[in-house]
């Protein structure tokens, strides 16, 4: 069921729609360039018109795409770089554990995003298309919870996103609005929004420019737009006597809490007074969801104070208030076309090279032998007539020299690679091939220069990532409010879990820091592989050239050496090197302390006053030692006496126990004898009765 929408938001449809269409028109040339360049790199370097021309001229359709290799190499180098998040407190009231936990949460969110190759996709769009777009949103952790988590990722399609044309920062966070378009089929839209009336919507074939509805392969498509706009909220800011700055609502809540503490008997609870106040403004984000002719939903995202879409610039230029985005390969596309044309021409020459050519009189060629002469590329035997029909001698056929391929064609084909390298600022493709003595160094130097040529794209990526981290920093205390366990990643890349907002717990951290008290910066983390190799070579050369530098590196520079290693287990080596360095420093400190003690002892031996003081100290120490020994002797005597008494007590207990056991045995023996006597008496009685019975029977029989 659709939510009711206030009339003023429904009436804002025309204004919002005009903003979207104006932004689409402003950025349309960049979108076309994005699509053309990505298709040129990843699909085909020959346009449809190029293919038609080659077909008319009967030339082979060949491509020699070398631009993708440059982009793939930069992507590979970028994959070895991990951005470093650094959070710092803007005042001394922030908890250091909270700062560390926030850094770990930021790394954990980035790790989740990279499970879908977030960084690689963004950087690829920068290089090949000229720009990209990041997105921040929240979602429930799973279906059985109300806890939400913050997500960072790439948008559905960067070309379907737009920003305020007046924004000037690289991430466009200073703009008033941004939006994202989603193409949906008519059936899918009606299923998701059954209450929206589409009776007035018409679908036509898509032409040039932006259209809210169109047909594609007989399928009706409608554009759904999420439009985010900043809305100013005016409120009063209060400064309290304890130095705290709060809003009026926060002050009222604080007053209620202190009154509750006073009612509970907390005599130390004191309500701070207001020493200053002023009116100020802040932004919240409003989201309009609309189609071409109506607004279908409106919501205020009060927990968002920044636009959730972040523009990732490539290497754009602002020309007469128009932003021109440029991919990495933008200026090398013509050189690629030249290479294609030279390669096609070279292939055509090779394809049309004839096996042999002959100059012969027409009368000398027999009629039945004309086919071999007309097909010089097919091997065979060529027959001719030495005389004509009248018997006149004909000149013999003469081979015609083969015309070589024009040298300009292969030279242009080879020179195009150099031109592309110079345009892109990449020189490592041919470094080290001529002079074998400089092969390794030349390749490393060339790759480092290539990294520098692509650095504007990396810096703009980091600027966008820094903006997204700042937004996450603002959202954390608003969404991570319940006790839970969140995934974190420490500075060494180790994954773990952090308890937050627990009522009691030693390892729990409260994510409840006030707004604008923490600041984050994103910097390049691990250097590029070639830069690490270069650093290692420079360090080893300096160690060989300077004994002092060598000693310094061996004493405290081992972690730096290990950090520049490109081997498996280098992180473990760094930890071992740090532990080893700490142990060495501790041993040096102990040796220095021992040396100082010996020096003081040596000085005291040469000073009479110090000798007297030393003798008195020794006497005091000896006296104290005697007292300690006497105390220990007395304690030993007491312990022995206690042990002797304990042994005597145990002996008495054993004797008493043995007596009890003897008495029990005698009693048992007496009882046994008594029972035996009673049994004997009973047997005798039975015998007596039996004899009497027998005597009675015998007497009766005799009578």
């Amino acid at each position: 069921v659709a939510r009711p929408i206030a009339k003023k938001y429904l009436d804002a449809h025309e204004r919002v729609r005009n903003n979207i269409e104006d932004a689409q028109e402003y950025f349309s040339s960049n979108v076309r360039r994005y699509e053309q360049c990505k298709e040129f790199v990843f699909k085909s370097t020959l346009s449809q018109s190029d293919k038609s021309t080659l077909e008319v001229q009967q030339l082979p359709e060949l491509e020699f795409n070398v631009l993708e290799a440059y982009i793939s190499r930069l992507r590979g180098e970028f994959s070895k770089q991990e951005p470093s998040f650094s959070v710092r407190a803007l005042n001394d009231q922030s908890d250091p554990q909270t700062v560390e936990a926030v850094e770990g949460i930021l790394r954990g969110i980035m790790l989740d995003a990279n499970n879908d190759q977030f960084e690689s996709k963004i950087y690829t769009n920068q290089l090949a298309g000229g720009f990209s777009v990041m997105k921040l949103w929240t979602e429930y952790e799973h279906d059985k919870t109300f806890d939400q988590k913050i997500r960072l990722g790439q948008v559905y399609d960067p070309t379907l996103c737009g920003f305020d044309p007046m924004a000037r920062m690289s991430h466009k966070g200073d703009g008033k609005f941004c939006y994202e378009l989603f193409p949906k089929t008519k059936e899918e839209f009606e299923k998701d929004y059954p209450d929206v009336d589409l009776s007035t919507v018409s679908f036509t074939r898509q032409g040039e420019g932006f259209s809210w509805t169109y047909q594609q392969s007989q399928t009706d498509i409608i554009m759904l737009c999420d439009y985010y706009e900043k809305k100013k909220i005016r409120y009063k800011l209060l400064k309290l006597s304890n130095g705290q700055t709060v809003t009026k609502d926060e002050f009222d809540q604080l007053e209620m809490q202190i009154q509750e503490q006073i009612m509970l008997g907390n005599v130390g609870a004191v309500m701070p007074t207001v020493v200053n106040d002023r009116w100020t403004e802040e932004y919240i984000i409003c989201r309009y969801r609309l189609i071409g002719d109506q607004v279908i939903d409106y919501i205020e995202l009060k927990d968002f104070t920044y636009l959730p879409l972040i523009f990732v610039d490539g290497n754009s230029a602002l020309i007469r208030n128009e932003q021109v985005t440029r991919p990495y390969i933008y200026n090398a596309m013509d050189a690629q076309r030249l290479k294609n044309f030279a390669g096609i021409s070279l292939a055509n020459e090779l394809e049309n090279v004839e096996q042999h050519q002959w100059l012969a009189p027409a009368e000398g060629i027999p009629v039945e032998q004309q086919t071999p002469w007309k097909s010089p590329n097919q091997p065979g035997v060529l027959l001719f007539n030495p005389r004509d029909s009248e018997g006149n001698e004909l000149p013999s056929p003469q081979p015609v020299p083969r015309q070589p391929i024009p040298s300009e064609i292969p030279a242009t084909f080879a020179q195009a690679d150099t031109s592309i390298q110079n345009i892109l600022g990449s020189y490592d493709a041919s470094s080290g091939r001529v002079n074998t003595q400089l092969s390794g160094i030349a390749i490393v130097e060339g790759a480092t220069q290539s990294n520098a040529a692509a650095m504007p794209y990396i810096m703009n990526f980091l600027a966008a990532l820094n903006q997204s981290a700042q937004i996450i920093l603002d959202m954390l205390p608003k969404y991570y409010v319940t006790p839970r366990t969140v995934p974190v990643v420490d500075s060494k890349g180790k994954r773990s879990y952090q308890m937050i907002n627990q009522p009691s717990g030693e390892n729990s951290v409260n994510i409840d820091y006030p707004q604008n008290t923490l600041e984050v910066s994103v910097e390049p983390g691990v250097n590029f592989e070639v830069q690490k190799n270069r650093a290692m070579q420079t360090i080893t050369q300096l160690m060989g050239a300077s004994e002092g530098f060598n000693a310094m590196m061996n004493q405290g520079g081992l972690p730096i050496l290990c950090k520049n290693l490109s081997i498996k287990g280098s992180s473990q080596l760094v930890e071992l090197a740090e532990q080893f360095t700490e142990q060495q420093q501790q041993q040096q400190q102990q040796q220095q302390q021992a040396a100082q003690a010996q020096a003081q002892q040596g000085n005291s031996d040469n000073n009479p006053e110090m000798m007297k003081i030393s003798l008195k100290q020794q006497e005091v120490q000896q006296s104290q030692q005697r007292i300690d020994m006497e105390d220990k002797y007395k304690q030993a005597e007491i312990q022995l006496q206690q042990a002797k008494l304990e042994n005597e007590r145990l002996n008495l207990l054993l004797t008493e126990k043995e007596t009890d056991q003897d008495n029990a045995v005698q009693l048992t023996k007496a009882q046994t004898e008594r029972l035996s006597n009673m049994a004997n008496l009973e047997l005798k009685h039975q015998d007596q009765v039996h004899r009497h019975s027998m005597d009675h029977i015998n007497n009766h029989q005799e009578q």
Side-chain angles (χ1 to χ4, degrees):
V1 179
R3 293 180 300 179
I5 305 174
K7 185 177 184 301
K8 63 178 181 180
Y9 302 128
L10 293 174
D11 295 340
H13 175 268
E14 183 177 359
R15 175 182 62 83
V16 172
R17 174 173 173 166
N18 290 335
N19 287 343
I20 295 172
E21 293 177 352
D22 291 344
Q24 285 289 116
E25 179 64 25
Y26 171 80
F27 215 67
S28 59
S29 60
N30 295 324
V31 171
R32 288 193 297 269
R33 190 179 304 110
Y34 177 98
E35 296 173 345
Q36 291 172 358
C37 292
K38 289 200 73 172
E39 183 177 2
F40 189 85
V41 174
F42 297 117
K43 186 176 180 181
S44 175
T45 56
L46 296 176
S47 64
Q48 191 60 41
S49 61
D50 293 337
K51 294 179 180 179
S52 300
T53 303
L54 294 175
E55 184 178 359
V56 171
Q57 297 179 356
Q58 296 183 351
L59 295 175
E61 294 184 7
L62 301 178
E63 299 183 41
F64 305 89
N65 189 348
V66 298
L67 295 181
E68 185 176 358
Y70 290 94
I71 291 180
S72 298
R73 180 177 56 80
L74 290 175
R75 291 171 61 189
E77 294 174 358
F78 182 80
S79 65
K80 300 174 184 178
Q81 186 185 41
E82 298 178 2
S84 174
F85 293 92
S86 176
V87 178
R88 70 182 186 92
L90 298 179
N91 53 49
D92 56 356
Q93 299 178 355
S94 300
D95 186 3
Q97 292 183 350
T98 301
V99 174
E100 185 178 356
V102 169
E103 284 187 2
I105 294 173
L106 286 173
R107 298 189 192 99
I109 294 174
M110 178 58 65
L111 183 64
D112 290 340
N114 283 330
N115 289 335
D116 192 31
Q117 298 182 350
F118 162 73
E119 290 183 344
S120 177
K121 291 179 180 179
I122 294 291
Y123 190 58
T124 300
N125 289 336
Q126 284 182 275
L127 294 174
F131 63 90
S132 189
V133 180
M134 299 178 183
K135 183 180 180 180
L136 277 163
W137 72 97
T138 60
E139 62 183 24
Y140 291 106
E141 290 186 345
H142 52 82
D143 296 336
K144 303 295 183 180
T145 184
F146 288 93
D147 292 334
Q148 291 186 328
K149 63 179 179 180
I150 301 172
R151 294 291 306 275
L152 173 65
Q154 188 186 16
V155 296
Y156 174 78
D157 186 351
T159 61
L160 296 179
C161 296
F163 297 85
D164 185 0
M166 299 304 296
R168 286 296 176 265
M169 300 183 72
S170 62
H171 50 73
K172 297 189 181 296
D174 58 330
K176 295 181 180 179
F177 67 87
C178 64
Y179 60 88
E180 182 179 7
L181 294 162
F182 302 92
K184 288 182 174 292
T185 63
K186 183 180 179 182
E187 292 76 10
E188 182 182 5
F189 182 85
E190 290 176 340
K191 182 179 179 181
D192 294 338
Y193 303 96
D195 298 328
V196 178
D197 183 16
L198 298 180
S199 59
T200 59
V201 177
S202 61
F203 298 88
T204 58
R205 291 189 177 274
Q206 185 179 13
E208 293 185 1
F210 173 70
S211 177
W212 286 94
T213 58
Y214 59 92
Q215 283 186 343
Q216 184 177 13
S217 301
Q218 304 301 321
T219 303
D220 294 339
I221 305 296
I222 186 170
M223 301 298 292
L224 177 67
C225 181
D226 281 345
Y227 176 88
Y228 302 94
E229 188 176 47
K230 292 181 178 179
K231 181 179 180 180
K232 285 185 179 180
I233 300 297
R234 185 176 174 83
Y235 64 95
K236 180 171 285 190
L237 191 67
L238 307 178
K239 185 176 181 181
L240 306 182
S241 56
N242 58 2
Q244 189 177 3
T245 303
V246 297
T247 63
K248 182 65 171 60
D249 294 337
E250 293 173 345
F251 179 79
D252 295 339
Q253 185 177 4
L254 179 63
E255 188 175 13
M256 292 177 59
Q257 293 176 355
I258 293 180
Q259 288 178 356
E260 290 178 358
Q261 293 180 6
I262 294 174
M263 292 176 63
L264 293 174
N266 186 0
V267 296
V270 178
M271 182 64 191
T273 58
V274 178
V275 297
N276 198 0
D277 64 86
R278 68 181 179 88
W279 286 96
T280 185
E281 296 176 343
E282 70 174 4
Y283 288 108
I284 64 170
I285 304 301
C286 305
R287 189 199 68 187
Y288 293 84
R289 181 162 289 176
L290 68 152
I291 56 177
D293 63 345
Q294 57 185 305
V295 174
I296 62 177
D297 189 22
Y298 172 82
I299 188 173
E300 291 185 354
L301 307 175
K302 295 183 179 180
D303 292 331
F304 280 77
T305 56
Y306 297 87
L307 295 173
L309 300 181
I310 303 103
F311 183 76
V312 187
D313 194 8
N315 188 17
S316 65
L318 193 64
I319 303 174
R320 292 192 296 272
N321 293 327
E322 179 184 359
Q323 185 179 16
V324 180
T325 60
R326 298 175 300 164
Y328 177 69
I329 49 90
Y330 176 67
N331 293 320
M333 293 174 65
D334 289 338
Q336 176 64 64
R337 294 189 181 96
L338 177 62
K339 185 175 181 65
N340 287 343
F341 181 74
I344 291 171
S345 300
L346 180 60
N348 183 61
E349 289 289 338
L350 295 174
E351 184 180 20
N352 294 324
V353 169
E354 298 179 350
Q355 295 292 333
H356 48 260
Q357 292 182 340
W358 296 88
L359 182 64
E363 296 85 354
I365 300 175
V367 177
E368 65 277 7
Q369 295 292 329
Q370 289 185 357
T371 300
W373 287 93
K374 292 180 179 180
S375 302
N377 289 332
Q378 297 179 0
V381 179
L382 301 178
L383 302 178
F384 69 96
N385 295 324
R387 298 178 184 277
D388 59 12
S389 58
E390 298 179 355
N392 298 323
E393 187 175 357
L394 298 174
S396 300
Q398 300 293 326
V400 178
R402 179 183 297 174
Q403 294 295 327
I405 297 175
S407 60
E408 293 81 5
I409 295 178
T412 302
F413 183 77
Q415 184 64 30
D417 290 330
T418 305
S419 300
I420 292 174
Q421 292 170 20
N422 292 334
I423 292 171
L424 297 179
S426 177
Y427 311 101
D428 58 327
S430 60
S431 297
R433 293 181 181 175
V434 179
N435 189 346
T436 57
Q437 295 180 353
L438 299 177
S439 59
I441 299 175
I443 290 175
V444 171
E445 292 292 333
T448 305
Q449 293 175 5
S450 300
N451 291 338
M455 194 56 67
Y457 298 86
I458 297 176
M459 299 309 297
N460 284 324
F461 173 84
L462 294 177
L465 195 61
N466 192 92
Q467 174 68 3
S468 65
Q470 190 64 44
I471 298 175
I472 295 173
L473 201 67
D474 181 73
M475 295 170 61
L476 280 177
K478 302 173 184 177
Y479 285 92
Y480 288 39
V481 295
T482 58
R484 66 169 97 169
T485 302
V486 295
V488 296
V489 179
D490 62 15
S491 58
K492 297 180 181 179
K494 185 179 179 181
R495 307 178 186 181
S496 60
Y497 290 90
Q498 175 66 53
M499 292 189 300
I500 61 172
N501 304 326
Q502 301 290 339
S504 61
E506 297 180 357
N507 298 324
S508 177
V509 176
N510 291 327
I511 309 297
D512 58 352
Y513 51 87
Q515 190 178 8
N516 299 323
T517 58
L518 297 182
E519 184 181 55
V520 64
S521 62
V522 181
E523 298 177 353
V526 180
N527 290 331
F528 288 136
E529 199 71 19
V530 291
Q531 292 175 334
K532 293 170 66 177
N533 294 334
R534 182 181 181 185
M536 177 61 70
Q537 292 179 359
T538 303
I539 291 173
T540 52
Q541 290 176 359
L542 288 173
M543 290 175 66
S546 173
E547 294 182 358
F549 186 82
N550 186 20
M552 180 189 69
M553 292 301 297
N554 287 327
Q555 290 179 359
L558 290 179
I560 298 176
L561 284 172
C562 295
K563 287 179 181 178
N564 285 281
L565 291 176
S566 301
I567 60 175
K568 186 177 181 179
S570 59
S571 58
Q572 288 83 355
L573 281 177
V574 172
E575 294 180 0
L576 293 175
E578 291 176 350
Q579 294 176 2
F580 177 77
T581 303
E582 291 179 359
Q583 293 176 359
Q584 292 287 85
Q585 292 176 354
Q586 291 177 359
Q587 291 179 0
Q588 290 180 359
Q589 291 178 358
Q590 292 175 358
Q591 292 176 358
Q592 291 177 357
Q593 292 175 358
Q596 291 176 358
Q598 291 178 358
Q600 293 177 358
Q601 183 67 28
N603 293 331
S604 63
D605 293 341
N606 298 326
N607 191 343
E609 295 295 332
M610 293 297 296
M611 291 176 67
K612 292 180 180 179
I613 295 173
S614 178
L615 289 174
K616 290 182 179 179
Q617 290 177 350
Q618 291 178 3
E619 290 178 356
V620 172
Q621 291 177 357
Q622 291 176 358
S623 176
Q624 185 65 36
Q625 289 177 357
R626 285 195 300 271
I627 294 171
D628 293 340
M629 290 296 293
E630 291 176 356
D631 291 340
K632 290 180 180 179
Y633 180 74
K634 290 179 180 179
Q635 290 177 1
E637 287 183 346
I638 293 170
Q639 291 175 358
L640 289 174
Q641 188 67 24
Q642 290 177 350
K644 185 177 180 180
L645 294 174
E646 183 67 19
N647 290 332
E648 291 178 355
R649 188 180 69 83
L650 292 174
N651 289 331
L652 291 173
L653 290 174
L654 289 173
T655 303
E656 183 180 358
K657 188 174 182 180
E658 288 176 357
T659 302
D660 293 340
Q661 290 177 352
D662 291 340
N663 294 332
V665 171
Q666 294 296 331
L667 179 62
T668 303
K669 184 177 179 181
Q671 291 177 352
T672 303
E673 291 178 353
R674 177 175 172 275
L675 292 174
S676 178
N677 293 331
M678 290 177 65
N680 291 331
L681 291 173
E682 182 66 25
L683 288 174
K684 289 179 179 180
H685 175 72
Q686 293 295 333
D687 289 341
Q688 186 70 26
V689 173
H690 179 70
R691 283 195 302 270
H692 288 167
S693 298
M694 290 302 294
D695 290 343
H696 179 72
I697 292 170
N698 291 333
N699 292 332
H700 179 72
Q701 288 177 354
E702 288 176 357
Q703 292 177 1

